[in-house]
Amino acid sequence: HAAIRHLGARVTIRSRKALCDLVHTLMTNPRVNKRYGRVLQHLTVADDIVKPWAHTFPLRLPGCFFTSLASLEFCRLDWTQRRLLVYFCRYLRHFSSVTSLRLTQCRLCSARDLRGLINVFPKLTDVSIDSIVVSRQLSETPIAQQHQPTLSPERPGITGISTWSHSDDLNPFDHEHCVELQEEILNTLSSYSTVTEISFYPSQFRSFARLRHFLYAFPNLCSIDVEGDPEWEHLDEQANTSLPAKDLEDRPWKYLSLSFMCSETVHWLLDHCSTRSCRVHSLCIFLSGLPRPTLLQTVEKMLQGSGPELEEFRWEVDSSILSQVSQNDGAEVSVSLTL
């Protein structure tokens, strides 16, 4: 009983020894300790790339033991040996209570393996991708442009996707340290048409046109959270490229948050969103530069289109920018409304 006092709702396994200790704690007397398995809700498995051990994790710790486990994160796992991945997934499917999966700095043989890993969990709703690498490239055609997509999911249910990075360390499997997401990863994520919420950095897409095609793949999308300014060129031309015809229901956006971007980037992203609906419940904008008339017109269009459906509107401009043009000590201009 003393050992279990150190087992909280969140556990991180960083070594083979830590895995063995946890196995010993939970499995010495399964009948008594089974209730301790219900304590764990968030589990992180961080492998050693020099002496890997994490491939034994689902075999050593049976998933059926953790009935309350909601989120599972794998860090620095190398799944390029397909035999190990098949073996891994065979036992991983017993973690049937998992609803959130996060892959951080991992490597897979192909994007099809990524899809297979996601589809292992029957109740999975949220997927987070943080600096993962696919070794073999299969295709570079965006799935929204394919007449017969080859990456259709085996099971529906994914409602949230995040590609935000929360680690300051570089991916040891990515020697080029590329910020952009690989096409195979984008195509695989695009195949989950049930997604309603997305978080990403614009710099993860090679162009605005590619980002538009990615967002277009999700007909049920209603929330977008995006940060950072990309280095895109010819935004005007990319914004005017045509997309395949698709009947989309005019449903209001639940949440649109665009932060740390220049006026032009925010304008074109909002303009793209307005082609689906000009109505929004919550609109939050944080500008890294001064607003331009085109952005003000787009924002006004969405606010007027939302009417009484608008519940929150936040508008902020970086105070360091204002200090360069204001004689008022650069006081930050901020608008925050709750209607």
Side-chain angles (χ1 to χ4, degrees):
H1 294 279
I4 204 61
R5 287 199 294 268
H6 301 288
L7 179 62
R10 293 179 177 271
V11 170
T12 299
I13 307 175
R14 301 184 184 276
S15 66
R16 187 186 299 273
K17 182 181 183 303
L19 175 61
C20 293
D21 290 344
L22 184 59
V23 170
H24 177 76
T25 300
L26 298 178
M27 305 299 289
T28 301
N29 190 337
R31 179 174 297 181
V32 174
N33 292 337
K34 189 173 182 179
R35 70 178 186 274
Y36 296 147
R38 294 194 290 267
V39 173
L40 189 59
Q41 297 179 20
H42 309 277
L43 178 61
T44 298
V45 180
D47 206 359
D48 183 342
I49 63 172
V50 178
K51 294 182 178 180
W53 52 266
H55 57 279
T56 66
F57 150 75
L59 176 61
R60 302 286 304 279
L61 288 174
C64 59
F65 196 80
F66 302 100
T67 56
S68 299
L69 186 64
S71 70
L72 185 58
E73 178 179 8
F74 294 116
C75 300
R76 299 187 296 277
L77 266 71
D78 187 356
W79 283 300
T80 50
Q81 295 186 42
R82 188 177 298 273
R83 182 179 60 84
L84 289 180
L85 178 61
V86 172
Y87 179 79
F88 192 86
C89 290
R90 182 181 303 166
Y91 293 94
L92 199 62
R93 66 178 65 253
H94 296 298
F95 288 79
S96 57
S97 63
V98 171
T99 59
S100 175
L101 174 66
R102 182 174 185 82
L103 303 177
T104 302
Q105 299 183 352
C106 295
R107 179 168 63 176
L108 297 102
C109 185
S110 74
R112 296 182 191 278
D113 293 333
L114 172 61
R115 184 187 62 184
L117 191 60
I118 291 173
N119 290 348
V120 159
F121 303 95
K123 296 181 181 179
L124 196 66
T125 58
D126 295 283
V127 176
S128 297
I129 304 295
D130 183 348
S131 306
I132 70 170
V133 175
V134 169
S135 297
R136 188 172 72 241
Q137 303 295 301
L138 299 177
S139 167
E140 291 196 357
T141 305
I143 203 163
Q145 298 176 342
Q146 297 175 4
H147 298 292
Q148 295 180 340
T150 58
L151 291 175
S152 58
E154 296 175 5
R155 50 166 296 278
I158 304 301
T159 57
I161 289 178
S162 172
T163 60
W164 278 352
S165 177
H166 299 279
S167 175
D168 295 330
D169 299 328
L170 297 175
N171 188 339
F173 302 119
D174 183 8
H175 302 297
E176 297 180 358
H177 305 304
C178 184
V179 176
E180 292 180 12
L181 291 170
Q182 293 171 284
E183 282 299 315
E184 284 298 308
I185 293 176
L186 290 176
N187 286 345
T188 299
L189 297 178
S190 296
S191 69
Y192 293 92
S193 59
T194 52
V195 167
T196 60
E197 302 178 1
I198 289 183
S199 304
F200 60 89
Y201 301 116
S203 57
Q204 294 174 321
F205 298 82
R206 67 170 182 259
S207 66
F208 181 50
R210 182 63 185 95
L211 172 58
R212 291 178 70 224
H213 278 285
F214 179 72
L215 297 177
Y216 192 72
F218 307 108
N220 300 308
L221 191 62
C222 60
S223 296
I224 296 178
D225 198 346
V226 54
E227 288 187 5
D229 239 345
E231 296 181 357
W232 291 330
E233 297 180 354
H234 311 297
L235 258 177
D236 292 359
E237 298 177 11
Q238 296 182 53
N240 293 322
T241 56
S242 61
L243 291 169
K246 184 186 292 186
D247 293 329
L248 297 176
E249 184 180 350
D250 181 15
R251 289 178 297 184
W253 294 94
K254 289 184 179 180
Y255 181 71
L256 293 177
S257 177
L258 304 96
S259 305
F260 309 108
M261 301 178 187
C262 68
S263 179
E264 185 181 22
T265 304
V266 175
H267 161 63
W268 286 119
L269 283 171
L270 280 182
D271 189 68
H272 172 79
C273 292
S274 68
T275 60
R276 181 175 300 192
S277 177
C278 286
R279 298 146 59 205
V280 59
H281 290 164
S282 176
L283 177 61
C284 303
I285 299 173
F286 184 93
L287 292 176
S288 59
L290 295 175
R292 295 183 180 181
T294 52
L295 172 60
L296 297 177
Q297 293 172 4
T298 302
V299 171
E300 183 179 8
K301 175 184 174 182
M302 297 201 75
L303 296 181
Q304 291 178 348
S306 300
E309 292 180 294
L310 182 68
E311 299 173 359
E312 179 188 29
F313 172 55
R314 295 183 59 211
W315 171 279
E316 298 181 25
V317 180
D318 189 346
S319 59
S320 64
I321 297 296
L322 292 176
S323 65
Q324 300 176 18
V325 295
S326 173
Q327 302 298 320
N328 222 2
D329 295 328
E332 182 177 347
V333 172
S334 176
V335 175
S336 181
L337 299 176
T338 302
L339 306 178

